[in-house]
């Protein structure tokens, strides 16, 4: 990240976002966490695109920059 991007991020979210990684996770817990992360990612992309993302978009095969229409 460039310095300007970091400064803007800290201005907007400074101190309100924390990332906590689990130290020891069972196989079932890891699977549940991965499913939740996938659902969250699909939800964010759905909000940005205004529609459900395709499988190719989720896998990074299709470029999302072309799919986003600027108003």
């Amino acid at each position: 990240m460039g310095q300007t991007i970091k400064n803007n991020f800290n201005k907007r979210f400074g101190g309100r976002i924390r990332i906590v990684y689990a130290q020891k996770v069972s196989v079932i817990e890891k699977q549940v966490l991965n499913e939740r992360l996938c659902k969250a990612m699909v939800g964010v992309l759905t909000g940005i695109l205004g529609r459900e993302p395709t499988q190719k978009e989720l896998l990074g095969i299709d470029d999302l920059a072309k799919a986003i229409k600027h108003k």
Side-chain angles (χ1 to χ4, degrees):
M1 273 186 160
Q3 192 62 32
T4 307
I5 295 172
K6 285 182 183 179
N7 290 340
N8 287 337
F9 183 84
N10 286 332
K11 284 179 188 176
R12 287 186 177 177
F13 306 107
R16 292 184 287 169
I17 296 177
R18 288 185 315 175
I19 300 172
V20 180
Y21 294 99
Q23 297 297 322
K24 295 181 181 180
V25 185
S26 70
V27 176
I28 295 172
E29 289 174 326
K30 187 180 278 189
Q31 183 179 1
V32 170
L33 291 173
N34 286 339
E35 288 175 10
R36 288 182 182 172
L37 182 61
C38 289
K39 286 181 184 179
M41 189 176 81
V42 170
V44 169
L45 288 175
T46 299
I48 292 171
L49 295 173
R51 60 172 173 78
E52 284 284 324
T54 64
Q55 187 172 7
K56 286 186 176 184
E57 290 171 337
L58 288 172
L59 295 174
I61 297 170
D62 289 347
D63 188 13
L64 285 175
K66 295 177 185 175
I68 298 174
K69 295 180 181 177
H70 299 284
K71 294 180 180 178

